[in-house]
Amino acid sequence: MVLKTFSTLLLTTLTLTQPSRAGVSRPRAVTCPDGKNSASNEACCALFPIVDVLQQKFFDGGECGEEAHESLRLTFHDAIAFSPNNGGGGADGSILDFPEELDIPANNGLKDIIDAQNQFMADNNITISTGDFVQLAGAVGLSNCAGAPRVNYFFGRQKAVAAAPNIGLVPEPTDSVTAIIDRFADAGLSSDELVALLASHSVAAADHVDPAVPGSPFDSTPADFDSQFFIETQMKGTTVPGTANLTANGEALAPIKGEIRIQSDEALARADPRTSCQWQSFVDNQAKMQNEFKAAMLKLSLLGQDKSKLIDCSDVIPVPAPLATKPHLPAGSSLDDVEQACKDTPFPSLSADPGSATTVAPVPPS
């Protein structure tokens, strides 16, 4: 819940943090009124109670579960609907404010998380803008996933003024690699940043690609922000009857029982040199994956916004736990099952988990 002194704090902070003639210096940390938190900008103190209630009530005490996954997904769907030439407000929270955005085909399956976030804001008297809340919830939810970077968070977005236009600004899984790259480029994101942002699929699950098996994860470790997603999407697909391993048009792609793979991930991983080598580069380089995702996520979260008018409140985001596992092949597989796509560099040498096969359970609903 927002502190009553927020408006006064904000005005005071904006006055105090104007750069002097001697140059801009890093703001000194201030102790918040609660006596336990500190922030580089006093205006950020109003966010700590919101983070606490998010963790306690929305993310079930700090789990990297369905609400965390869907909140991270929502940051993308809200922000990417932006084009300098064709409209859309970017990361402005319009996806919470305007129900017609659910008519955008790529936003299928978002109604539950949109309803949940709107209800949560109402129930807890959260009055920051929906644009700020969408990005805050995504960043806090991600912090519950081991191995994730502590992403940046900027505060102070104005209320959205219009819905994003339904003109194909949000990519779909059936789009071609070129169409997806072009869409990202129009929004100001490179093909490398596109691949980096797809690290979010390491903590993701699908409810609507195969409705028969909701909660099907995109890799075998959906509670960890790790490189298994990049490894497993480069492996040959197999048909496992009765499990969620089919793309929207019925192709059997996922190599692991219970796992799902969408067509665009399949293609980006292996079909185009503009993305395949960047994809492979994350396989055995956790630090690179973290750093490039963090940088790309910052750009995404600022689409349609003037950064100079926002406040850096990154210090309100909790620090994620470190990753406890190492990159590996699924049990029962070998490097022969990898479909080498990057011509410049061989696929890293990885060992397989013990056992004859890997099975992953659906992510349970909250």
Side-chain angles (χ1 to χ4, degrees):
M1 59 196 72
V2 178
L3 300 177
K4 293 181 180 179
T5 55
F6 168 71
S7 296
T8 302
L9 293 175
L10 178 57
L11 291 173
T12 303
T13 302
L14 290 176
T15 300
L16 294 176
T17 56
Q18 294 299 313
S20 68
R21 292 182 180 179
V24 178
S25 60
R26 183 175 178 82
R28 295 175 61 185
V30 296
T31 302
C32 294
D34 62 12
K36 64 178 182 178
N37 292 302
S38 62
S40 60
N41 191 308
E42 197 170 11
C44 304
C45 291
L47 297 172
F48 283 108
I50 301 176
V51 171
D52 288 344
V53 75
L54 271 169
Q55 290 286 59
Q56 294 164 12
K57 297 183 179 180
F58 201 71
F59 298 126
D60 298 323
E63 288 188 1
C64 182
E66 183 181 39
E67 299 294 357
H69 298 172
E70 290 297 293
S71 292
L72 182 59
R73 181 188 177 199
L74 197 64
T75 64
F76 172 78
H77 283 256
D78 184 48
I80 198 62
F82 167 77
S83 169
N85 301 313
N86 298 302
D92 62 354
S94 64
I95 202 163
L96 292 190
D97 293 330
F98 296 94
E100 57 264 42
E101 288 201 22
L102 282 170
D103 295 333
I104 296 173
N107 289 345
N108 179 39
L110 289 175
K111 187 178 187 303
D112 287 349
I113 188 62
I114 289 171
D115 289 348
Q117 287 198 5
N118 275 325
Q119 190 64 53
F120 183 83
M121 291 186 72
D123 289 346
N124 292 280
N125 194 30
I126 294 172
T127 57
I128 63 175
S129 72
T130 52
D132 281 338
F133 183 78
V134 166
Q135 296 300 322
L136 181 64
V140 173
L142 178 64
S143 75
N144 296 324
C145 305
R150 188 190 194 193
V151 296
N152 300 100
Y153 174 71
F154 279 75
F155 177 52
R157 294 167 182 79
Q158 298 298 308
K159 180 177 176 60
V161 297
N166 189 353
I167 54 173
L169 296 180
V170 186
E172 295 194 66
T174 53
D175 289 345
S176 69
V177 171
T178 294
I180 296 172
I181 289 175
D182 288 349
R183 172 74 276 275
F184 271 71
D186 179 49
L189 296 160
S190 70
S191 58
D192 281 354
E193 289 167 333
L194 155 63
V195 176
L197 285 169
L198 284 171
S200 60
H201 282 187
S202 70
V203 287
D207 287 332
H208 295 272
V209 177
D210 184 352
V213 191
S216 301
F218 288 84
D219 75 0
S220 58
T221 55
D224 291 337
F225 187 92
D226 61 10
S227 65
Q228 288 307 121
F229 166 72
F230 291 101
I231 294 168
E232 292 162 20
T233 44
Q234 282 202 249
M235 299 184 67
K236 299 173 185 176
T238 57
T239 301
V240 184
T243 64
N245 67 330
L246 304 179
T247 62
N249 69 353
E251 293 179 88
L253 292 176
I256 292 174
K257 185 176 181 180
E259 184 177 298
I260 201 163
R261 183 185 301 172
I262 58 176
Q263 291 170 303
S264 54
D265 288 345
E266 164 84 2
L268 288 161
R270 58 175 52 71
D272 197 300
R274 292 173 293 178
T275 55
S276 58
C277 288
Q278 172 77 340
W279 196 283
Q280 184 179 288
S281 73
F282 293 144
V283 164
D284 62 346
N285 196 331
Q286 178 75 9
K288 182 176 189 287
M289 186 179 75
Q290 290 174 321
N291 292 335
E292 296 198 18
F293 175 82
K294 180 175 181 175
M297 190 65 192
L298 175 59
K299 284 186 68 173
L300 179 79
S301 72
L302 295 174
L303 289 181
Q305 300 294 320
D306 183 346
K307 183 181 177 183
S308 69
K309 295 181 179 180
L310 302 179
I311 302 168
D312 187 349
C313 289
S314 302
D315 37 17
V316 308
I317 305 302
V319 178
L323 190 65
T325 60
K326 294 182 179 180
H328 56 271
L329 298 174
S333 64
S334 71
L335 289 172
D336 291 338
D337 296 307
V338 173
E339 294 182 322
Q340 171 71 28
C342 179
K343 295 181 180 179
D344 299 338
T345 310
F347 192 86
S349 179
L350 302 175
S351 59
D353 274 355
S356 58
T358 296
T359 299
V360 58
V363 175
S366 297

